[in-house]
Each structure stands twice: as structure tokens, then as C-alpha cells.
Amino acid sequence: MLPALATLFLLAPASLLLVALFPSRPGPGRPDAMLPASRLATWFCLVLAVLACLLTAFEGPATSRLLGGNGIGLSVRLDAISCVMFLLVAFVGVIVVQYSRNYMDGEPRQGAFMAGLCRTLAAVTLLVFAGNLVQLVVAWVAMSLSLHRLLVFYPERRPARIAARKKFLAARLGDACMLGAAALLVTTFGTTDLATVLARAQAIAADAAPPALSLAALLLGVAALMKSAQFPTHGWLPEVMDTPTPVSALLHAGIINAGGFLLIRFADVMVLSMPTLYGMAIVGGFTALFGGVVMLTQTSVKGSLAFSTVAQMGFMTLQCGLGAFAIALLHLVAHSLYKAHAFLSAGGVVETETLPRFARPRLRPVTLSLLLAAAIYVLFAGVFGTFVRAEPAVLTLGAILVMGVSMLLASSLQGATTSRLVVQTLLGAAGTTLAYFVLETAFTRLTAGSLPAIPRPDGTGLLIMGLAIASFTAVTVLQSLVVLWNQRPAWRAARVHLANGLYVNAIFNRLVGALRREDARHHAQTIA
């Protein structure tokens, strides 16, 4: 019954595309037909997403029949991964479209902007529940092209044009890798059906994988890196802040994190190439550290949020590289909801900054906070059986969680003046850690039939995990000491270089000729 009903979920992107086709003439008036239609379409998608989750929970995973022929057409794959992503995209879409109705009010091209939002959401929706490789590749490319039009919504803004050009070039490289990987998978397994491809890949032992699958895994990894703004192609993301704020939030509806989704979706293929996974872990871990350090030096709210996203996408890639795909899916969902809200509420920081500031903070009790965070983690890890499973990847991510919780404790304890505040801080840290374990357990069980088990690392894998723990420990200590170094000449000099991202973005601009093209365009406009 579910395969027959699954086809109906194609109505979700169809409704969004229908709204995107509404005529929208530029002018001072509101696009009266577009606004209610876009709102209705996104709510319709959310209802369908909830229905898809319920049907999959009761009936199990299934793939609809193909609307087309010879493996080319439209089909819907419903399983734990696609349902979670469908629900996430639909929910964020409802919020972003509703926010845009007010944010863009009075904008002469509001109708065109709303159409762009709906068109992009339609492409993402087709991507996340794609049932065949052809649909997935087409949706992957369409999502990028539709986003490009939103990035240059204000074509007079030079930083936005530069960012869009860099994103366009990185995306085309990712598209080429995606197309190559799909071709290799179809050639190897003789089908475009996604469920069949993954099932056949799951039946292959990692040490018996043909070279074509190893190459396909490598191409999928590169495509994911290009899509999720990983170092050194991350520079377009901070510069994209010149676009309307709803676009920054929309990025977190399965667009900037589409790279993570791709790795999770093809997890059965990725585990057949451990060198590729290790490469993902190295690049992702370095991007996370780089983005986190640069974020500390940013002076604008949206700039800080952008580098935070770079860091979080790197951490998600690290999780995939360690083989913890269920935890990566949890991180993807949690970060999307948090960061979409952060961008849409970024203006509220201005009100916060008008409040009286506390005195200059004292040295954070880093050692005490680390010990307390470790004790809390060990307590819940024992309750949830983490040490019994003894999975090195999970323990590595747990160590990084300890450092994050220690920062929460340190920043709170330094201002605590009463025992009540200390208790509240400890309860907050314990609640955060408990929520992590509960959600990790839930997502692991939810995706048990859709994702492979975490692979056992060899010596190289253990070395990468050790480096990850040491690196994140160093950054945690750095974050604790930065406040004391603000007046030191050496730190003030280093801060200038870090605030500019160590000039990696400037080098990338020269390599792709982004600035040269914009300067030529400006010169031509001046002559005209």
C-alpha cells in the first residue's frame, strides 16, 4: 500500500513549483496572489511530510513506482533518512516563507523573491526523497542553480556577486563529481533505483569492493565537500551575508548541509572506501577548527554566524568521516533548526548589546569545568551503555562533547556568585548531556535499518581520532584564554589575520578570477 501512496508525495514539490510560476511584476504593490499561495504551499508540504513520517513508521520503508521509463523519471523513496529530511525542509520552509512575507514587505521584487524561495524548496524536496539516481542528480543541480538566483537578488551588491560566482564554480565542480559518481554506480549495479543500489552495496565486503565503487565514494565525498563550504572553498558562505536574511536561513533547509545528507544517504557506499572516509574526517575536522577559531574574531553578528556554520558543517563532515552517520544526521537536524532561528533573530542582538555589561571576566576555571563535564559524560555514558559498545568513533565524539559542555560550565561558573547559580549551571550541563544521549539513542534506533554500523577503525583511523581530540582540546583552551589575551600585542596582531580568515579566501578569489571579473564589470559600467 505504501509504494502506491508514496507517489502522492510528489505533490509537495509540484505545489511549490506551481507557486513559483505565478506571474510577479515588479512594482510598489504587494504580490497579493503570491503571498497566500506560497504560505499555503509550504504548509501543504509540512502536512505531507508529517503524513510521510507516520506512514513510514507504520508501514516501513518503501519506494514508489517510477513515473517515467528506462530508469529515468520521478520516484519517491520513503525511509527514516528521507522522512527526517523531508520534515526538516518543510518545517524550515514554512518559517522562512512566513518570515519573508514581512521582511520583504515593500520590496518591488518581493514576488520574484518568494518565487525563488518556493522554487529552491521544491528542488530540495525532490532531492531528499529521491528514489532514483537520475532524479537525485537533477535535483542536486537544480537546487544549486535556483539558489544562485537568490544569492544575486541584489545584483548591485558587489560582495554578493563575488560570493555567488565562487559558489557557482564550486557547485559546478561538485555537480561534475556527482554526475560521475552516479554514472559509476549505475554502471556497477545496473540500475538507477536508489534502494537497489544501496542494498547491493551493503552486500559487498569493504575489502572486496571493486575500484569503481571506491572511485564513486571519492567523487561523492568531493561533491559533499563542495556543497557544504568545506576548507578551502568556504569563502563564499561568509560573503553571502549580503543577500536577504531569509536566504541565510533557507541555506539550512537542506542546502548548505546537502553535502552531509549526501554522505548519509550513500553511507553504504562510503564505508566501502575507508581512505575516502578518513579524508572526509581530516578535511571536516580541520574546517571545524578553522571556522571555530575565525568565528572568535568576527565583529559582525551575521559574519560570526556564517563562520559558525562553516565550523558546524566541518564537524558534520568529521562525524560522517568517522562513520557515525546516525549522529551526523542528528547534528544536521539540530544545527539546521538552531542556525535558521539564529539568522532570523540576528537583529535581536542589537537589543541585547544595549544592556549593561558585566565587569571583565576572570580566568575561566577550565580545569574544573573539564573535570565536571567529563564526570557528567561518564555518568550518562554508563547509563546508556556507551562504554559497553566501546565504539571509538562514538567515544571520540563524546570527548568533543565534553569540551563543549566544559565551555558552557566555564562561561557560567565564572559569573556565579551563589551556590544556587552553581547548581543551576550543573543542572543545565547535565540536561544538555542527557538530551544528547537520548537523541543519539533515538536516531541510532530510528536509522538502524537505513544506515550501516559504524566501521571499526584501523591504526590510521585511531590516529585521526586522537588528533581530533587533541586539536579540539587546544581550541577549547584557546577560547578560554582569548579574553585574557585581548591586550597582548601578539594576540592583537594574530587577531587581524584570523579575522581575515588567514587570507585563504583572498587567495581563492585570485585563483578563480572572481575579483578580476567584478573589476572588469565595474569598469565597463563606468565607461557606459
Side-chain angles (χ1 to χ4, degrees):
M1 181 178 180
L2 184 56
L5 290 176
T7 307
L8 296 177
F9 295 105
L10 288 172
L11 292 174
S15 64
L16 291 167
L17 286 175
L18 181 62
V19 173
L21 294 176
F22 274 30
S24 55
R25 298 179 180 177
R30 289 184 177 183
D32 293 330
M34 173 70 72
L35 295 182
S38 59
R39 184 179 183 183
L40 181 63
T42 51
W43 274 104
F44 178 63
C45 291
L46 182 57
V47 171
L48 287 179
V50 173
L51 180 61
C53 293
L54 293 176
L55 286 175
T56 305
F58 286 105
E59 299 289 338
T63 303
S64 71
R65 66 183 184 88
L66 180 70
L67 298 181
N70 298 321
I72 301 175
L74 298 176
S75 59
V76 177
R77 173 63 182 171
L78 293 181
D79 59 8
I81 300 171
S82 61
C83 286
V84 168
M85 291 298 299
F86 187 15
L87 186 61
L88 172 67
V89 172
F91 178 74
V92 175
V94 167
I95 303 301
V96 171
V97 166
Q98 177 61 34
Y99 182 91
S100 301
R101 286 162 55 91
N102 300 324
Y103 182 88
M104 301 297 291
D105 192 24
E107 167 66 45
R109 299 175 57 227
Q110 183 181 15
F113 182 80
M114 300 300 292
L117 287 182
C118 292
R119 185 169 51 247
T120 306
L121 285 170
V124 180
T125 303
L126 281 171
L127 172 72
V128 298
F129 63 41
N132 64 87
L133 291 173
V134 176
Q135 177 184 335
L136 190 144
V137 172
V138 172
W140 179 273
V141 176
M143 173 181 65
S144 178
L145 295 177
S146 183
L147 175 65
H148 181 80
R149 298 183 64 178
L150 290 174
L151 295 181
V152 293
F153 183 75
Y154 293 127
E156 68 278 5
R157 297 183 179 180
R158 185 170 182 265
R161 294 197 306 268
I162 295 175
R165 173 169 170 75
K166 290 189 292 187
K167 173 68 174 67
F168 185 85
L169 294 175
R172 298 296 73 78
L173 176 58
D175 294 345
C177 292
M178 185 69 194
L179 184 61
L184 288 171
L185 292 175
V186 172
T187 302
T188 302
F189 296 115
T191 180
T192 63
D193 182 71
L194 190 60
T196 304
V197 168
L198 297 178
R200 292 178 180 176
Q202 191 175 11
I204 299 176
D207 55 357
L213 285 185
S214 298
L215 180 57
L218 176 62
L219 291 175
L220 288 171
V222 175
L225 296 179
M226 294 298 103
K227 184 67 72 174
S228 294
Q230 298 297 282
F231 186 93
T233 63
H234 63 281
W236 66 269
L237 185 57
E239 291 177 350
V240 87
M241 298 303 106
D242 275 88
T243 60
T245 296
V247 177
S248 301
L250 181 69
L251 286 173
H252 297 83
I255 299 177
I256 186 65
N257 40 34
F261 165 74
L262 184 69
L263 297 176
I264 295 168
R265 169 50 79 195
F266 287 97
D268 290 304
V269 176
M270 299 304 298
V271 296
L272 297 179
S273 177
M274 292 307 295
T276 298
L277 283 183
Y278 292 154
M280 295 295 101
I282 292 172
V283 175
F286 182 82
T287 302
L289 295 169
F290 175 82
V293 172
V294 175
M295 179 191 67
L296 296 175
T297 64
Q298 299 303 297
T299 56
S300 68
V301 176
K302 293 179 73 174
S304 178
L305 289 175
F307 273 103
S308 172
T309 295
V310 171
Q312 293 295 335
M313 291 302 97
F315 189 59
M316 179 185 65
T317 304
L318 170 64
Q319 292 169 324
C320 291
L322 296 180
F325 295 102
I327 300 178
L329 182 61
L330 167 61
H331 181 270
L332 189 157
V333 173
H335 175 260
S336 295
L337 296 176
Y338 158 71
K339 197 54 68 68
H341 172 268
F343 273 110
L344 295 181
S345 61
V349 174
V350 177
E351 299 177 2
T352 304
E353 289 299 315
T354 61
L355 298 177
R357 293 179 176 270
F358 293 103
R360 183 174 181 269
R362 307 183 307 271
L363 176 63
R364 295 178 179 180
V366 182
T367 304
L368 176 60
S369 298
L370 280 172
L371 292 175
L372 289 174
I376 294 172
Y377 177 83
V378 169
L379 173 63
F380 287 113
V383 173
F384 283 86
T386 302
F387 297 126
V388 175
R389 299 197 307 269
E391 295 172 324
V394 175
L395 294 176
T396 299
L397 296 175
I400 297 175
L401 171 69
V402 168
M403 296 166 207
V405 174
S406 71
M407 292 304 299
L408 171 66
L409 286 169
S411 60
S412 300
L413 291 177
Q414 69 177 3
T417 57
T418 65
S419 57
R420 180 180 179 182
L421 290 177
V422 173
V423 172
Q424 289 178 344
T425 298
L426 291 174
L427 289 176
T432 300
T433 308
L434 176 60
Y436 168 81
F437 277 101
V438 171
L439 292 173
E440 178 206 347
T441 302
F443 270 71
T444 300
R445 293 180 179 178
L446 178 67
T447 59
S450 303
L451 293 174
I454 299 176
R456 280 286 175 184
D458 54 17
T460 303
L462 292 175
L463 176 61
I464 292 173
M465 294 177 189
L467 289 174
I469 294 175
S471 301
F472 277 92
T473 301
V475 171
T476 300
V477 174
L478 174 64
Q479 289 177 324
S480 302
L481 297 177
V482 158
V483 69
L484 299 177
W485 292 350
N486 279 336
Q487 302 306 318
R488 294 187 178 183
W491 170 248
R492 295 175 68 177
R495 184 184 180 93
V496 173
H497 303 304
L498 289 172
N500 287 281
L502 300 179
Y503 310 103
V504 174
N505 193 30
I507 297 173
F508 190 76
N509 284 340
R510 292 187 177 184
L511 290 176
V512 302
L515 296 179
R516 210 166 40 243
R517 178 170 177 174
E518 286 305 317
D519 290 339
R521 175 175 177 172
H522 177 72
H523 179 68
Q525 290 175 344
T526 302
I527 295 176

